[in-house]
Amino acid sequence: MGNETLDNLLNESRTFPPSDEFAAQANAKAELYAKADADREQFWAEQAERLTWDTKWSQVLDWTNAPFAKWFVGGKLNVAYNCVDRHVEAGHGEQVAIHWVGEPGDTRDITYAQLQDEVSKAANALTSLGVKAGDVIAIQLQMIPEAIFAMLACARIGALHSVVFGGFSPTALRARVDDAAAKIVITSDGQYRRGKAAPMKANVDEALEGAETVEKVIVVRRTGSDLEGEVPWTDERDLWWHELVDGQSAEHTPEAFDAEHPLFILYTSGTTGRPKGILHTSGGYLTQTAYTHHNVFDHKPGEDVYWCTADIGWITGHSYIVYGPLANRVTQVVYEGTPNTPHEGRHWEIIQKYKVSIYYTAPTLIRTFMKWGAQIPAEYDLSSLRVLGSVGEPINPEAWIWYRETIGANSAPIVDTWWQTETGAIMISPLPGVTSTKPGSAQRALPGISAKVVDDQAQEVGKGGGGYLVLDQPWPSMLRGIWGDNERYRETYWSRFAEQGFYFAGDGAKYDADGDIWLLGRVDDVMNVSGHRISTTEVESALVSHPTVAEAAVVGASDPTTGQGIVAFVILRGNAVDGGDEAIQALRNHVAKEIGPIAKPRQIMVVPELPKTRSGKIMRRLLRDVAENRQVGDVTTLADSSVMDLISTGLQSGRSED
Ligand code: WT7
């Protein structure tokens, strides 16, 4: 937590009520809170009715085996049918589901009828390879339509997808493939990144060397001849997507699965080095993603054009590109590339072209747009925008106001949505037609959701008080566990407040004088870089796996653009005395190779010692002081109190911006 956020927070008193016109037409009215409070389970049953069920549930919630929830017990549905087929059956086959925009400028409009054909063909293709319900399929793809076809094809046949972010390294992909025993991997030949074609399949091949569970690799041709060199190929194992899928029948009958049938696994960072496979299931997940997309974004099917700028490699892409929006018959933009390719006005150009009305992005990107300057969006017609969303980290009031004034014409409500990979869907957020929004606050748990800020003793703090954010009631899209590790699930989320049965989210939070919630960042050893969770331990393990590093400690230091930046302190091995620029650069690249470019430390400092307590625990608080150029705090619990002097005087630092 930087001081800056605290200061801003204390001074913030501006509020922005929705206009009367917006409030009058909003999907969610103020009564929704009272309705949910009156009977929570009945409320969620009504939300589940938004979906098409094959068999209705007999019980809304079974929480007898807490923390393992069952929602809509006995209900059966097909998730892909709900996202695609039922819209075609209702006469909307010609509605565009996806306006896809490729980075080089190629585009593709996909209607619901076409989406149905593509998903059905992909489902038939997977079945032809022997894929069955319950099998795991790893997907490492950039933002191309086939990524969405593949996810929905899995859902259609009851296979679980495990999407691995395209920027993750071969090592990271392999760990995820092995943990879930993935049978199939779906990837592409290459991906466009800032105007250049970069290899994907070659990295996947490196990852899969000796991977025993993988039977087939399906490769989408995206970069083709733009990619330098041959695409490496293993004849018995590899298949081109177009050769496998295009010839399949477009007829496929979706089978109904139990409401608790697993839908997907998505890996996220925890406080230890080993990523956690977060498990989500079908009925409750789809209910809450659809409910929140409808009410938080005020989405009107057939009228709005929606754009969520996340990548499908993260939970935001799963819940707010694929499942929630498509269940609600969205027309949405999906963009393949980076926001400054080929120019810094790319997003605004796309909004103007497709008349985007709902735009959902991350604070780190808003701050980047601020840096590029207001003159860039000013060149485009953004008058179609009527709701703006933010997710991934606390949004600082300055960025919030800029977003409202420069992008939202001072009128579009901003919804600051707090949630996590684990929660599956939005939990705390304004309702755009109801809430008087406050710059920087996510404000209040949604109708049907219960959140509290509590102290160490699990007592709710009063107005103006700060503490830990907990969720004290189960919710439909909650994670159902960590893949293959029930004990870790209990330990990670349910042990801190076991007696009370609270879910501990790992975030600090406070109530303001009105009782609105302000998120204050992670309280555990997890960093938040550009809205992505990265554990300090993971980066430390990557550093010490380098032959020159003896010991490493990593902290997240506040960063004006990315929220937090990764700062590493390393002790080099005796024979590796050289801590010069080149050596530092090599270490940064090593981390990028081990985990992926997003985990590359912003800064690495070579130090002679690390500050440790008598029990050997690294005191990250002190390192954070150094990383943020602050006066170093209380050192009395250090085993050797001279260590901090050594660090401050012997500091050799390397910093670079890429
Ligand atoms: C962590 C979850 C939810 C999708 C993207 C990240 C932080 C998320 C907000 C927000 C303040 C936020 C929290 C949370 N976070 N949204 N609106 N305000 N903090 O998903 O990778 O699972 O990360 O992101 O610290 O615990 P994730």
Side-chain angles (χ1 to χ4, degrees):
M1 264 306 305
N3 289 331
E4 194 191 349
T5 322
L6 279 173
D7 290 347
N8 281 339
L9 195 159
L10 290 173
N11 296 332
E12 193 52 65
S13 58
R14 294 166 284 191
T15 61
F16 298 88
S19 69
D20 293 345
E21 301 78 60
F22 193 102
Q25 61 80 60
N27 290 345
K29 304 283 199 297
E31 302 90 80
L32 212 58
Y33 291 106
K35 209 165 152 198
D37 286 345
D39 187 341
R40 255 172 58 82
E41 291 190 15
Q42 175 54 29
F43 176 81
W44 282 115
E46 276 169 39
Q47 304 316 316
E49 297 283 3
R50 300 173 52 78
L51 307 178
T52 305
W53 295 78
D54 216 70
T55 308
K56 207 179 154 169
W57 57 89
S58 54
Q59 190 186 353
V60 175
L61 168 66
D62 177 0
W63 190 230
T64 51
N65 186 30
F68 298 90
K70 287 198 174 107
W71 281 87
F72 308 112
V73 183
K76 282 189 191 315
L77 80 172
N78 185 286
V79 168
Y81 171 85
N82 271 279
C83 292
V84 184
D85 304 55
R86 64 171 178 153
H87 306 318
V88 179
E89 286 172 14
H92 302 290
E94 297 309 303
Q95 181 183 326
V96 172
I98 298 168
H99 291 295
W100 179 74
V101 181
E103 192 186 84
D106 48 340
T107 60
R108 219 174 137 182
D109 283 349
I110 299 156
T111 65
Y112 274 97
Q114 289 167 336
L115 186 60
Q116 185 179 30
D117 287 353
E118 295 300 335
V119 174
S120 299
K121 284 194 273 183
N124 282 324
L126 292 175
T127 305
S128 78
L129 298 178
V131 176
K132 303 237 158 22
D135 286 345
V136 176
I137 297 190
I139 301 176
Q140 189 172 44
L141 279 173
Q142 67 273 42
M143 294 295 287
I144 52 178
E146 287 78 4
I148 297 172
F149 304 159
M151 289 166 77
L152 290 170
C154 289
R156 199 172 177 97
I157 62 173
L160 290 74
H161 52 71
S162 165
V163 181
V164 179
F165 176 58
F168 274 141
S169 69
T171 316
L173 171 62
R174 175 59 177 275
R176 287 157 176 76
V177 163
D178 284 351
D179 187 72
K183 216 168 151 176
I184 308 263
V185 178
I186 306 179
T187 188
S188 63
D189 52 352
Q191 61 175 332
Y192 291 105
R193 244 12 199 177
R194 300 178 202 285
K196 283 202 220 61
M200 284 276 273
K201 173 62 162 57
N203 291 343
V204 170
D205 275 20
E206 189 185 329
L208 297 186
E209 204 168 306
E212 279 170 10
T213 61
V214 176
E215 295 167 11
K216 296 284 175 203
V217 176
I218 305 173
V219 188
V220 178
R221 184 148 68 200
R222 171 58 186 142
T223 46
S225 58
D226 286 351
L227 188 70
E228 265 177 50
E230 289 279 295
V231 176
W233 207 258
T234 306
D235 282 333
E236 328 66 79
R237 189 196 64 183
D238 300 347
L239 299 154
W240 284 109
W241 173 284
H242 58 275
E243 288 177 3
L244 172 70
V245 175
D246 289 359
Q248 298 285 339
S249 159
E251 299 297 318
H252 182 273
T253 311
E255 183 189 337
F257 294 99
D258 194 272
E260 286 299 335
H261 186 76
L263 182 61
F264 65 83
I265 309 169
L266 183 62
Y267 286 85
T268 187
S269 291
T271 52
T272 74
R274 206 157 44 91
K276 300 176 290 206
I278 303 300
L279 175 66
H280 282 288
T281 61
S282 304
Y285 173 80
L286 196 62
T287 296
Q288 195 177 329
T289 52
Y291 157 75
T292 48
H293 177 260
H294 177 75
N295 289 297
V296 173
F297 299 113
D298 193 46
H299 171 255
K300 310 281 196 288
E303 296 172 29
D304 277 306
V305 179
Y306 166 85
W307 184 12
C308 167
T309 69
D311 189 282
I312 49 129
W314 312 114
I315 191 69
T316 311
H318 285 59
S319 300
Y320 296 104
I321 293 177
V322 182
Y323 293 109
L326 292 173
N328 288 337
R329 186 165 51 86
V330 78
T331 293
Q332 70 179 322
V333 167
V334 173
Y335 173 52
E336 180 184 36
T338 45
N340 52 352
T341 307
H343 58 80
E344 291 171 349
R346 189 73 194 263
H347 275 213
W348 320 124
E349 181 180 77
I350 292 172
I351 289 171
Q352 172 178 285
K353 173 170 176 194
Y354 292 103
K355 300 193 165 43
V356 171
S357 53
I358 305 169
Y359 179 72
Y360 189 28
T361 194
T364 183
L365 196 55
I366 299 167
R367 289 190 294 264
T368 302
F369 291 141
M370 284 173 77
K371 259 200 307 208
W372 292 344
Q375 76 286 355
I376 295 172
E379 285 170 36
Y380 299 89
D381 177 8
L382 306 181
S383 61
S384 53
L385 289 171
R386 61 178 205 92
V387 179
L388 300 175
S390 171
V391 64
E393 53 171 315
I395 176 167
N396 48 309
E398 197 192 346
W400 195 102
I401 293 288
W402 188 90
Y403 197 25
R404 180 175 167 92
E405 289 177 349
T406 315
I407 308 304
N410 246 320
S411 65
I414 296 179
V415 287
D416 175 4
T417 63
W418 178 89
W419 58 294
Q420 308 177 293
T421 305
E422 291 87 343
T423 69
I426 299 170
M427 302 293 281
I428 304 176
S429 165
L431 287 175
V434 178
T435 314
S436 282
T437 52
K438 292 178 185 172
S441 172
Q443 297 194 289
R444 186 174 169 186
L446 289 176
I449 300 297
S450 185
K452 284 194 169 75
V453 182
V454 300
D455 64 18
D456 260 334
Q457 309 302 312
Q459 295 301 310
E460 187 167 16
V461 302
K463 287 179 181 172
Y468 303 101
L469 181 70
V470 298
L471 303 166
D472 60 325
Q473 297 284 342
W475 62 99
S477 65
M478 67 195 291
L479 75 166
R480 300 303 198 264
I482 294 177
W483 188 249
D485 202 341
N486 285 346
E487 206 29 60
R488 192 175 176 199
Y489 169 60
R490 264 182 212 284
E491 176 58 34
T492 309
Y493 304 106
W494 303 92
S495 65
R496 181 73 182 73
F497 298 106
E499 212 174 296
Q500 298 76 18
F502 294 166
Y503 169 94
F504 175 44
D507 283 355
K510 64 169 278 172
Y511 291 126
D512 66 14
D514 302 326
D516 280 321
I517 298 175
W518 296 71
L519 275 307
L520 302 176
R522 306 285 306 179
V523 299
D524 53 21
D525 292 336
V526 176
M527 299 172 288
N528 188 326
V529 182
S530 299
H532 301 312
R533 267 160 68 178
I534 300 169
S535 97
T536 52
T537 323
E538 260 176 297
V539 179
E540 286 164 5
S541 319
L543 283 165
V544 294
S545 75
H546 192 274
T548 62
V549 177
E551 242 188 297
V554 166
V555 296
S558 65
D559 184 284
T561 305
T562 60
Q564 284 192 313
I566 303 176
V567 177
F569 296 81
V570 298
I571 303 176
L572 296 179
R573 287 183 189 276
N575 55 356
V577 278
D578 175 25
D581 281 357
E582 228 165 277
I584 299 254
Q585 202 52 39
L587 283 181
R588 295 179 66 238
N589 291 338
H590 177 72
V591 176
K593 186 174 168 289
E594 287 296 304
I595 305 175
I598 48 166
K600 199 183 226 188
R602 180 186 82 184
Q603 197 175 4
I604 294 181
M605 307 194 191
V606 176
V607 292
E609 284 300 339
L610 289 171
K612 289 184 184 159
T613 61
R614 271 165 274 265
S615 65
K617 201 172 178 328
I618 292 172
M619 291 190 69
R620 288 201 174 70
R621 173 171 59 79
L622 300 178
L623 293 175
R624 229 172 277 130
D625 289 341
V626 175
E628 294 177 343
N629 300 317
R630 263 195 311 274
Q631 178 95 38
V632 173
D634 182 12
V635 295
T636 48
T637 54
L638 275 182
D640 173 0
S641 61
S642 66
V643 165
M644 289 316 292
D645 297 335
L646 259 177
I647 289 179
S648 310
T649 48
L651 214 61
Q652 297 172 290
S653 73
R655 173 175 184 151
S656 78
E657 292 294 334
D658 61 320

